Amino acid sequence: MDFGRLLTAMVTPFDENGKVSLKRTSDLLEHLIKTGSDGVVVAGTTGESPTLSQEEKLALFEHVVRVVDGRIKVIVGTGSNNTSASIALSKEAAKLGVDAIMVVAPYYNKPNQAGIYAHFQAIAEQVDVPIIVYNIPSRSKVNISAETIIRLSHLENIVAVKEASGDLDQMAEIISGTDEHFHLYSGDDGLTLPILAIGGHGVISVSSHVIAPEMKQMMNNFRSGQIEKAAIQHQRMLPFMRELFAVPSPAPVKALLNDLGIAVGSVRLPMVELTEEEHTSLTNVYQALKRSLSLGISK
């Protein structure tokens, strides 16, 4: 199954009281659709999933499916370090008509590779929607090995992996060891082009909240053989992509969206808002990017 090349790891909009705002979610979805996202990932890391209750997640999933109405793909985060709880939430999400679920590597309890495989296998056996495996060792403290991901790809409804290990060798091994219908997505904006170069399918992005058209153009240039143009675009966007993670995400991207008139509210504790200095730095890097992109590509 193909979910597209550019998926946005969507922030969860809150109102002034810190409650999930479905109105602001609708507005954000229209912005993401208009600017070219092929799909959204709801209640992932960027969506502050650890601070969302199950009731909030399900209400958000239902609302997003209804508002999107088939215009783009809807993938929802249902994984945790509790296998039975992950299965229960995944089943409820499947009933709402989502296109896929994304399941993170079990965090904190640090299972071995056999345990990781069994965790995903148990979920895959209990739900009938496509599953994207989410490998993010920096947060989960376990790495899903290439061998394990290749084994998981043989399960009928495990169709893709979001790779945020930063290990291009591991990713190349996954791509070479899985069939053409299994897709690898970059989990790091700054590795989008390198991952495409080794055979990756696309990116699940934070930056695409703001620069989706530019990212899509870069990806299209690469795929059409305009490698040098794609490389220049990648170089120009990289400082901005890094700035979005200079402090814990999603505080920077939420601040920037608010600045641009797309109200998404603040972050929930234990995340905190940007300091004045951090906000100024973000603004300066974003403005520098816009000036750079306005110059066009001369080579």
Side-chain angles (χ1 to χ4, degrees):
M1 177 171 287
D2 192 346
F3 304 113
R5 304 267 179 185
L6 180 62
L7 310 179
T8 296
M10 193 180 81
V11 301
T12 299
F14 299 131
D15 64 19
E16 291 80 0
N17 299 312
K19 296 183 181 297
V20 174
S21 172
L22 298 182
K23 168 62 169 64
R24 289 179 171 182
T25 298
S26 297
D27 293 342
L28 176 60
L29 285 166
E30 294 302 331
H31 162 73
L32 295 176
I33 292 169
K34 181 180 178 181
T35 53
S37 290
D38 297 318
V40 288
V41 175
V42 184
T45 306
T46 310
E48 299 178 76
S49 58
T51 68
L52 297 176
S53 68
Q54 180 164 317
E55 291 73 24
E56 286 177 318
K57 288 179 182 178
L58 290 172
L60 194 58
F61 298 166
E62 183 176 25
H63 182 76
V64 171
V65 168
R66 181 172 57 80
V67 170
V68 165
D69 193 25
R71 289 178 290 170
I72 59 174
K73 300 297 185 183
V74 177
I75 299 126
V76 300
T78 59
S80 72
N81 60 347
N82 181 324
T83 305
S84 61
S86 299
I87 291 170
L89 182 57
S90 298
K91 285 181 174 180
E92 291 301 312
K95 294 176 185 177
L96 299 175
V98 302
D99 293 294
I101 60 174
M102 188 173 75
V103 179
V104 69
Y107 43 84
Y108 188 73
N109 37 20
K110 295 177 69 174
N112 60 16
Q113 294 300 310
I116 291 170
Y117 179 85
H119 172 79
F120 283 99
Q121 181 184 39
I123 297 169
E125 289 174 347
Q126 292 290 318
V127 298
D128 58 1
V129 294
I131 298 172
I132 299 176
V133 174
Y134 183 14
N135 186 33
I136 182 164
S138 64
R139 291 182 183 266
S140 65
K141 295 305 178 186
V142 291
N143 176 56
I144 310 176
S145 70
E147 180 183 4
T148 298
I149 292 173
I150 292 167
R151 286 184 66 205
L152 288 170
S153 76
H154 297 147
L155 300 177
E156 184 178 359
N157 54 338
I158 294 185
V159 299
V161 60
K162 176 184 178 183
E163 253 290 343
S165 67
D167 186 340
L168 289 171
D169 288 348
Q170 173 167 301
M171 295 181 218
E173 186 177 348
I174 292 166
I175 292 165
S176 66
T178 54
D179 70 34
E180 62 182 355
H181 302 295
F182 184 85
H183 293 155
L184 185 144
Y185 287 91
S186 173
D188 296 296
D189 284 326
L191 289 179
T192 302
L193 188 58
I195 285 174
L196 291 177
I198 62 170
H201 190 70
V203 61
I204 298 177
S205 170
V206 176
S207 305
S208 56
H209 281 92
V210 181
I211 56 168
E214 293 83 0
M215 292 185 70
K216 209 158 197 182
Q217 184 185 50
M218 176 188 73
M219 297 167 75
N220 289 339
N221 282 339
F222 174 82
R223 297 185 67 239
S224 66
Q226 299 180 79
I227 308 301
E228 191 171 6
K229 282 188 177 181
I232 293 169
Q233 290 169 311
H234 169 78
Q235 292 159 18
R236 290 181 177 178
M237 289 187 283
L238 190 57
F240 173 70
M241 292 171 169
R242 288 176 174 166
E243 187 69 16
L244 286 182
F245 292 90
V247 299
S249 182
V253 72
K254 276 194 155 183
L256 186 54
L257 285 167
N258 287 323
D259 289 347
L260 295 174
I262 304 164
V264 293
S266 185
V267 289
R268 281 181 174 174
L269 289 172
M271 295 298 178
V272 293
E273 293 187 39
L274 303 185
T275 65
E276 185 176 347
E277 182 180 359
E278 290 164 347
H279 202 151
T280 298
S281 178
L282 174 64
T283 301
N284 289 342
V285 172
Y286 175 69
Q287 292 300 331
L289 172 65
K290 298 306 286 185
R291 288 192 298 271
S292 175
L293 292 173
S294 69
L295 297 175
I297 306 297
S298 60
K299 294 185 180 181

